[in-house]
Amino acid sequence: METMHRTKIRELQLERLQHIVRYCYENVPFYHQRFDSIGLKPEHIRTLEDVRLIPPTTKADLRDNYPFGLFAVPRSKVVRIHASSGTTGKPTVVGYTKNDLEMWAEIMARIISAAGVTEKDTAQICFGYGLFTGALGLHYGLEKVGAAVIPASSGNSEKQLMLMKDFGTTTLIATPTYAMYLGELANELGYKPADFQLRVGLFGSEGCTTELRSKIEKRLGLFATDNYGMSELIGPGVSGECELRVGLHFAEDHFLPEIVDPETLEPRAEGESGELIVTTLTKEAMPLLRYRTRDLTRITYEPCKCGRTTARMEKVMGRSDDMLKIRGVNVFPSQIESVIMQIKQISPHYMLYIRREGYHDTLEVQVELVDGSLLTSFRELEELTQTIRAKLRVVLGIDAKVKLVGPKTIERFAGGKAKRIVDLRDMKA
Ligand code: DLL
């Protein structure tokens, strides 16, 4: 699959595209109505480029059809459900059939093998097990490769290091920031590089500059690849680097990528950067046609020196919306806004400060009191702060620091686009 001639890849993609378009039209009322409203029929898709006739699917469409409205199969065929952050309080849901899970394990196994991991390896998964797709995605792929999996999950870092040493972990699965944090902690706790047998790191779920990656590699004594994916499409597995690390190989037999201008949605030429749009070609439970990932990147179709002929995407360069990744968790300012709006003692004005303390990302939410007299009551201030923190935790899934400031002290951005996010993280640090 990974070394097919490009003509063959395109033939396979077209065959699968035509099938999935008809499948969506016949099984997902949302797509049926959308096609009918513009007079589009599945048979109008005659070439791969005809995919552009289909209107894009967005996160808002997922939200409007929450939780299972976009499923194409009866509930009896769904064997797994995952979710990630939505733009408001409700998560974005994704379902899998048995075949979807099999396909997921297969594409994961390919990426894991491309990074050089084999059945001789012992892999410690430090992604959180749960609704997040990272842990279980890697888990089944690693088992398929035959590696020994340690489902350590996230957190409890001292124990992570102990397991890493005692179990002879060779492969670390984590976000780059958590990997860096583990490296720092190992140093602080007096571990020596020789205590570990680490060899390979499969990082992902958030961006990482090559500078930061080199630092992590040095500190932990491993070689790390970058891996990309998103829950809506399947989870990790959409693309990943091989050992040459010259772009992330796209699982093109299951996902059809396009790069478009994020404003006009016009196609961008090969090699030009823009927003990535992806059509799932084989998914059964929740196929998506032209899903707007909001991730900015570029794609080359030049075969890689490793022998793989699949399209390669560059590391994600940014987002075309305001989503933030904080400690591997997707955070939308609109989620924070939805919490703030519910609390009558504070005004709708807020600022978000994201900092990197050591290798730990922190989020501070500054909110403004409506009534300045509250500032004199420590107890009331403390209670209000804790209430806001607890509500934010429920919606965001991470802890935020809450700072209450006096009335009318937060900038008003009259006439301009509000700049409420101050990202102070130095990604090269
Ligand atoms: O982060 C899936 C994943 C898990 C990928 C583990 C790799 C490893 P979500 O939580 O839905 O899914 O977040 C998806 O995270 O749209 C990107 O903005 C960002 N993202 C994911 N991988 C990378 C990466 C998982 N390698 C969103 N570099 C995506 C930069 C990434 N950003």
Side-chain angles (χ1 to χ4, degrees), residues 65-72 75 81 93:
N65 289 283
Y66 176 85
F68 306 135
L70 293 183
F71 283 16
R75 286 289 295 286
I81 295 169
V93 181

Side-chain angles (χ1 to χ4, degrees), residues 59 83-85 104 108 127 132-135 138 173-176 202-208 225-239 248 291 293-296 313 315-319 321 323-325 328-330:
K59 214 171 175 93
S84 74
S85 318
W104 194 14
M108 280 312 314
F127 286 139
F132 177 55
T133 52
L138 266 298
I173 313 291
T175 59
L202 276 136
F203 297 164
S205 184
E206 64 181 11
C208 174
T225 61
D226 186 12
N227 297 283
Y228 169 84
M230 71 194 312
S231 325
E232 295 94 308
L233 296 176
I234 197 143
V238 176
S239 67
L248 287 76
Y291 188 65
T293 66
R294 296 287 186 169
D295 290 314
L296 303 174
M313 66 177 245
K315 277 176 172 299
V316 174
M317 303 161 181
R319 300 264 312 169
D321 64 5
M323 186 184 95
L324 300 157
K325 271 259 163 172
V329 175
N330 303 348

